[in-house]
Amino acid sequence: MAQLVGEDTLSPVMAAVKLINKSPNAVAIATLLQALAGVARRLPTQAQLQHYLDISLMLMDRTSGSIHGIHKSYPSPSLALFFEKSAQLLELLSLQGLRNWTDYGIRNYSHHPEQQREYFSLVSADSRAVLQRERRGTLLMDNTRALDLYLKALWHDDDVLVPYSTAFDVQRQPMPYFDAMGIRLPDVYDDREGIGGLDRYRAALAHIAAHRRWSTAIFADNFSPAQRLAIECFEDARVEALAMREYPGLRRIFKALHPTPADGACNPATHSCLRHRLSVLSRALLDPPGRFELAHLSDWRQRFHALLAQGESSTSEIAGLALSYLGKTRLQSDQLADTWFADTVVDYRDDNRHLWRFHELNDDEETFDEHQQTPPADEIQSLPPRHYPEWDCTSQTFRPDWVSLYERLHPSGNPTDIDALLAKHSALAKRLKRLLDLLKPQDKVRVRYQEDGSELDLDVAIRSLIDLRAGSQPDTRINMSHTTDGRSIAVTLLLDLSQSLNEKARGSQQSVLQLSQEAVSLLAWAVQQLGDPFAIAGFHSNTRHDVRYFHIKGFGERWGDQVKARLAAMQAGYSTRMGAALRHAARTLGTQQTDKKLLLVLTDGQPSDIDVHDERLLIEDAKVAVRELDKQGIFTYCINLDASADAYVSDIFGHQYTVIDNIARLPEQLPKLFMALTR
């Protein structure tokens, strides 16, 4: 430590050791001293190291103490674990991030020793979630939309981007790859060599997209590991050359991120240098010709580009070139067990698992893996999860990325069932129609010079006829249309689809679910008459790991057979984790370009789930979610079908709710309530 930071640092370290020795935590001193070398490599100044010691002493003071009524002190359950994980944590976090992560663990688990140990040993899901939130760098989850658009626009590829964690694989960092489930990328990228994290993601996606466009899987059974390594190197270089031919700006990013191994750095007397030689060649294929003076590199570079000059080439042709290279350059020392790895890892490239096919899969384990490559149909229809925080009222903090929400299109049924429901309420529909006519905006705005329109624009038509008779090119935009300009509101109806909807409604032979279907059908028909942007979604939950969000009608869809079919297939099940559903509904509603945004929530009970034992937790989380939406300019209103809802609904929605005691009248009350809210 004196070498890395300076001898002056030893005094504050000794002061910290003395303080720990005076507490019940003397056993943790050895762990601190063992960890200091790794910590000093990450914190090379005295000021930084002092901040680290301050965080450690804060943890000690707040997690150890005396037992009430007994003159005996107890040690901190987590101090030694914190020292043990410090070097790993500082690879991922800044000092401020480390303080925030530590502070969260103290606030939430100071009175739960076992949970505290799990948190500070990076075992609990909560610990990992906070760690991911505090990580420095460019997070994939924050940039998924931009990268989706990049992949779609430049590569005409729209596969799902799935993050994997790089924080917990200390021995071997995983590499990007793609399979039937999507494209897997690291969850975070730091800036490197002047290239920002977002451009590093673009480089990885460009390399993967190039493989998906130009590479073809070949059989691997007849190739040795060395031959496969050479083929992968040449194929990586080929698809990157084709990618740079199409998008020349990629060359700057690839060159900056590709390592530059020094020729001759590997000693063949002590190490296997095949990987090193291939990395030198890979760099030579990427750089201009003048960089490498070695004759054999120049020769292989010319042969490589001569092959590409004839066209795109193919994986089989490039494999022949790779085998020829390996046959002429292979050394006896390539068989040595010690492989030279320095400056050989090109981390934006994928692991090339897609390049290889196998004739034989005889072992049970291999056959099992083969079957697992095809995901279940239900998994394909569902998008990757979105993660939302959840408010913990006991500690007054958010649990970051606590809830996993899966969104999918609702299955379809028979649309004629909804037509039958509307016919059943035809008399009510006629009464609603008269009310709707009063609400429709009357101030129409004329839009002229249209190719297609509702009527002829006489002035423009006469002018075009005169131009035609005079021999000039007439203006073909001779129509006009009208738009209304007096009502600007977007509405999302969020339906609670929990198990309780299957119960019979009071005073009716129908279930609450059937009455909800009738009410929603009438409401959707009514909003279609008004012309307001309108969406319908439903949700239920099965623990925090599985909140399901179903799209029934999108803002861009008309009220037609497709939407009716989804509404007819509505089914109820599981529980009601409302906070995550509210936050997710706000994502889509918030993008609507209207003056007002209304989120209507139709539910028959209080928020609950089977993994939550304190009923106030989810009520308080929904309350905080409503406040969040209010700050975003989204007005939230609840229609509750629970006769005893007054005990909790006002806690969540304030005065913005209505309790419908007579559920049998829901089909009549829901459209009228909507019109009253939007009048």
Side-chain angles (χ1 to χ4, degrees):
M1 222 180 79
Q3 264 189 332
L4 292 167
V5 190
E7 291 189 14
D8 292 343
T9 316
L10 301 181
S11 296
V13 169
M14 195 60 206
V17 167
K18 288 179 179 178
L19 287 173
I20 296 172
N21 191 50
K22 291 179 181 177
S23 75
N25 298 281
V27 69
I29 293 175
T31 314
L32 167 64
L33 296 177
Q34 290 166 349
L36 276 176
V39 169
R41 291 189 186 95
R42 295 291 168 184
L43 304 175
T45 68
Q46 183 174 346
Q48 289 178 312
L49 204 63
Q50 182 64 59
H51 287 313
Y52 166 76
L53 294 172
D54 291 343
I55 294 171
S56 305
L57 295 174
M58 175 195 71
L59 173 63
M60 181 187 73
D61 291 340
R62 294 174 61 182
T63 57
S64 58
S66 58
I67 301 173
H68 182 68
I70 303 175
H71 298 292
K72 184 178 180 181
S73 297
Y74 61 87
S76 166
S78 55
L79 185 62
L81 292 170
F82 174 78
F83 291 145
E84 187 179 317
K85 298 292 183 181
S86 290
Q88 181 182 348
L89 289 167
L90 287 169
E91 288 182 6
L92 309 169
L93 304 176
S94 64
L95 274 170
Q96 185 59 50
L98 181 66
R99 176 177 284 276
N100 294 341
W101 180 83
T102 306
D103 192 55
Y104 184 95
I106 295 170
R107 283 202 316 272
N108 287 277
Y109 302 115
S110 58
H111 300 297
H112 301 278
E114 193 56 44
Q115 293 179 15
Q116 190 182 140
R117 290 188 192 96
E118 290 179 358
Y119 182 91
F120 282 94
S121 58
L122 293 174
V123 171
S124 70
D126 209 9
S127 171
R128 295 184 174 213
V130 179
L131 180 65
Q132 297 294 72
R133 182 186 67 183
E134 296 295 339
R135 290 191 71 177
R136 55 194 171 199
T138 302
L139 294 176
L140 178 61
M141 295 305 293
D142 292 344
N143 296 278
T144 302
R145 178 170 172 77
L147 294 171
D148 280 338
L149 294 174
Y150 166 78
L151 195 62
K152 180 83 170 175
L154 270 67
W155 295 101
H156 310 293
D157 197 334
D158 56 0
D159 208 350
V160 176
L161 304 183
V162 184
Y164 61 79
S165 177
T166 57
F168 309 105
D169 294 290
V170 179
Q171 297 298 324
R172 180 182 180 275
Q173 287 293 324
M175 296 179 68
Y177 67 96
F178 64 90
D179 57 16
M181 303 294 287
I183 297 175
R184 312 303 178 99
L185 294 170
D187 55 353
V188 63
Y189 266 144
D190 294 324
D191 296 355
R192 180 184 293 176
E193 305 296 336
I195 303 298
L198 192 57
D199 277 342
R200 289 185 66 189
Y201 278 120
R202 292 187 178 121
L205 281 176
H207 183 84
I208 288 174
H211 270 305
R212 288 157 72 101
R213 180 179 296 184
W214 292 301
S215 291
T216 306
I218 57 178
F219 284 103
D221 299 75
N222 295 326
F223 296 121
S224 69
Q227 289 172 326
R228 288 174 60 181
L229 189 64
I231 292 171
E232 289 175 2
C233 175
F234 273 84
E235 179 66 358
D236 283 339
R238 180 181 77 92
V239 297
E240 284 184 9
L242 294 174
M244 291 184 291
R245 182 185 296 176
E246 188 159 344
Y247 300 113
L250 284 170
R251 184 179 297 276
R252 175 186 66 87
I253 303 176
F254 285 154
K255 285 178 62 177
L257 295 177
H258 194 294
T260 307
D263 190 63
C266 176
N267 182 2
T270 57
H271 288 83
S272 168
C273 297
L274 174 60
R275 186 182 178 91
H276 171 75
R277 292 200 308 275
L278 287 172
S279 298
V280 173
L281 175 64
S282 174
R283 182 73 203 202
L285 298 178
L286 187 63
D287 274 340
R291 187 188 180 283
F292 285 88
E293 304 297 335
L294 297 176
H296 72 277
L297 286 179
S298 177
D299 177 50
W300 289 107
R301 191 180 190 284
Q302 290 174 6
R303 293 176 62 177
F304 174 82
H305 287 292
L307 188 61
L308 288 184
Q310 302 171 14
E312 294 179 352
S313 184
S314 68
T315 306
S316 299
E317 291 175 333
I318 208 71
L321 183 63
L323 294 177
S324 177
Y325 168 83
L326 190 63
K328 293 186 178 182
T329 62
R330 195 161 186 178
L331 303 174
Q332 184 64 33
S333 62
D334 291 345
Q335 304 295 326
L336 293 176
D338 290 336
T339 301
W340 184 268
F341 280 97
D343 291 329
T344 63
V345 178
V346 189
D347 62 1
Y348 66 83
R349 291 178 175 174
D350 61 275
D351 62 5
N352 284 316
R353 66 182 66 185
H354 55 87
L355 277 183
W356 305 108
R357 297 166 61 195
F358 297 89
H359 283 291
E360 297 181 0
L361 287 173
N362 293 329
D363 296 335
D364 292 340
E365 185 177 353
E366 291 176 330
T367 307
F368 175 78
D369 288 341
E370 181 188 31
H371 294 318
Q372 291 299 308
Q373 289 302 309
T374 304
D378 188 51
E379 292 290 336
I380 295 174
Q381 295 171 2
S382 176
L383 294 174
R386 289 189 182 273
H387 302 289
Y388 288 97
E390 190 168 271
W391 179 255
D392 183 359
C393 60
T394 57
S395 64
Q396 295 293 297
T397 57
F398 278 105
R399 291 173 168 173
D401 298 336
W402 188 251
V403 179
S404 298
L405 182 143
Y406 295 82
E407 56 180 325
R408 65 192 73 185
L409 200 62
H410 198 288
S412 297
N414 187 357
T416 57
D417 294 347
I418 302 301
D419 292 329
L421 293 179
L422 292 173
K424 172 185 173 183
H425 293 283
S426 57
L428 175 58
K430 288 178 182 177
R431 295 201 303 272
L432 291 173
K433 184 71 166 65
R434 290 194 292 272
L435 293 172
L436 292 168
D437 289 339
L438 298 175
L439 283 175
K440 279 185 180 178
Q442 303 300 319
D443 47 340
K444 292 190 175 183
V445 177
R446 182 173 60 176
V447 182
R448 304 183 67 186
Y449 297 102
Q450 302 290 303
E451 293 279 357
D452 299 306
S454 57
E455 57 186 280
L456 188 69
D457 191 335
L458 195 57
D459 291 341
V460 180
I462 292 173
R463 192 181 308 129
S464 296
L465 183 61
I466 294 171
D467 291 341
L468 182 64
R469 294 281 177 83
S472 301
Q473 179 67 31
D475 191 341
T476 58
R477 299 172 300 164
I478 60 173
N479 295 303
M480 63 179 177
S481 59
H482 295 86
T483 61
T484 56
D485 193 31
R487 185 180 171 91
S488 179
I489 184 169
V491 184
T492 293
L493 176 62
L494 185 60
L495 305 174
D496 168 11
L497 298 179
S498 59
Q499 179 65 36
S500 54
L501 264 68
N502 291 321
E503 298 173 2
K504 293 288 184 184
R506 296 180 306 276
S508 173
Q509 294 301 311
Q510 295 176 283
S511 69
V512 179
L513 179 64
Q514 291 171 322
L515 288 169
S516 298
Q517 277 179 317
E518 295 180 10
V520 173
S521 301
L522 279 167
L523 177 60
W525 170 82
V527 178
Q528 184 69 30
Q529 306 300 310
L530 284 171
D532 294 335
F534 182 60
I536 307 173
F539 75 96
H540 57 224
S541 63
N542 181 23
T543 75
R544 69 183 180 91
H545 300 292
D546 187 13
V547 178
R548 303 177 189 181
Y549 188 95
F550 299 96
H551 293 279
I552 299 173
K553 179 187 179 299
F555 284 107
E557 290 183 288
R558 291 187 59 80
W559 171 246
D561 284 347
Q562 283 189 332
V563 176
K564 292 176 184 176
R566 295 181 205 129
L567 197 58
M570 269 174 45
Q571 293 182 343
Y574 302 111
S575 305
T576 313
R577 209 174 196 107
M578 189 180 291
L582 289 172
R583 292 181 177 97
H584 188 73
R587 290 178 71 100
T588 309
L589 182 56
T591 63
Q592 297 301 301
Q593 302 300 314
T594 55
D595 293 339
K596 297 184 178 71
K597 301 175 181 67
L598 171 65
L599 179 59
L600 274 178
V601 182
L602 179 61
T603 181
D604 70 329
Q606 72 181 48
S608 63
D609 210 338
I610 59 173
D611 61 342
V612 178
H613 304 295
D614 183 355
E615 64 178 21
R616 291 301 304 178
L617 280 173
L618 295 185
I619 292 174
E620 292 296 327
D621 175 59
K623 174 182 177 180
V624 171
V626 170
R627 304 299 180 269
E628 291 172 14
L629 269 58
D630 186 55
K631 291 178 181 177
Q632 298 172 33
I634 296 174
F635 182 80
T636 309
Y637 197 91
C638 177
I639 300 124
N640 202 302
L641 310 179
D642 181 7
S644 58
D646 294 308
Y648 60 85
V649 70
S650 60
D651 289 345
I652 301 173
F653 296 95
H655 299 294
Q656 298 160 202
Y657 72 93
T658 295
V659 178
I660 298 180
D661 294 324
N662 188 357
I663 304 178
R665 296 190 61 196
L666 179 63
E668 176 186 354
Q669 293 295 325
L670 184 60
K672 288 184 177 180
L673 182 60
F674 167 78
M675 288 184 280
L677 285 171
T678 61
R679 183 170 51 201

